[in-house]
Amino acid sequence: MQSPLSGRMSSGFGGSGKYKSKVVFGVALVAAVPFLLSTFAASVTVGTGALEFGQGSQQATACDQKIYVALGEEWHGAPTSEDSSAGFFRVRAVTVSNLDLEACAGKKLRVRLIDNTSTEIKIGPTEESMVLQIALPNPFPISNLSDPVTLGLSYLTGIGAPISTTLTATAALSISGTSVYDGSVLSSKNGDATFYLDPTAATVNIDGQKVFRTTVETIDNPASTPQAAPSTAPLATTSATPAP
């Protein structure tokens, strides 16, 4: 049986300076109506082999040691004259879980989807929109965050060039509540970074069966500098003495 979410796992996670693809994660999560992720009690066919639910972690070489990737799907109706119930499970969201937002503060986080021919899947409204990127806050957030401007949400080409176009995507960082991936308690050391491809389902509707790999990359963000903590010392006062 062919899973709608397929892939294999390899490489590490992180990077510095120049753009590099650092990690490829196989996704072994299945979704059902309306936007559900699997439990961890069975196995599915992934690519040409079986992969058990719950797998998908890799050792990292940079800001984090272990992360997970989950795809969320929901039914997308596409009725035809022959079948009024036709449709497919569209990829609604990509979530990077178990993310250490303290260690990764200031990094840029990127995701992309790959099909069974190793071709990147268009993830935004333009043909060249292959990557979604956010800038992880520095210092790390102390509450859940979903403002796209604060997160620096943007599209990139496959080689990492910025694209100026209208966003159909949204994003969120969660450090409280429970993880999308496994229901664990979230914290700044165990956060969820979720990319919602197109909440309106008006433009970006990717058939989950076409996704065979998900990549997650981090790179350095030279523009990110820690914000100075507010001073608690009283301000010095001076008085001007008229010149004689």
Side-chain angles (χ1 to χ4, degrees), residues 195-214:
F195 298 82
Y196 300 96
L197 305 189
D198 182 358
T200 67
T203 304
V204 181
N205 293 296
I206 299 168
D207 186 343
Q209 294 192 74
K210 296 181 179 179
V211 180
F212 273 63
R213 293 188 181 186
T214 304

Side-chain angles (χ1 to χ4, degrees), residues 111-173:
V111 298
R112 70 182 82 206
L113 305 177
I114 311 296
D115 69 15
N116 64 336
T117 66
S118 291
T119 301
E120 294 182 53
I121 298 172
K122 185 182 75 170
I123 207 170
T126 62
E127 289 300 320
E128 65 270 28
S129 302
M130 300 299 180
V131 181
L132 267 171
Q133 173 181 275
I134 59 173
L136 300 176
N138 187 15
F140 60 87
I142 59 174
S143 61
N144 293 345
L145 182 62
S146 60
D147 177 45
V149 175
T150 302
L151 291 173
L153 179 63
S154 61
Y155 296 111
L156 306 175
T157 65
I159 61 172
I163 298 172
S164 179
T165 186
T166 302
L167 284 171
T168 61
T170 61
L173 286 180

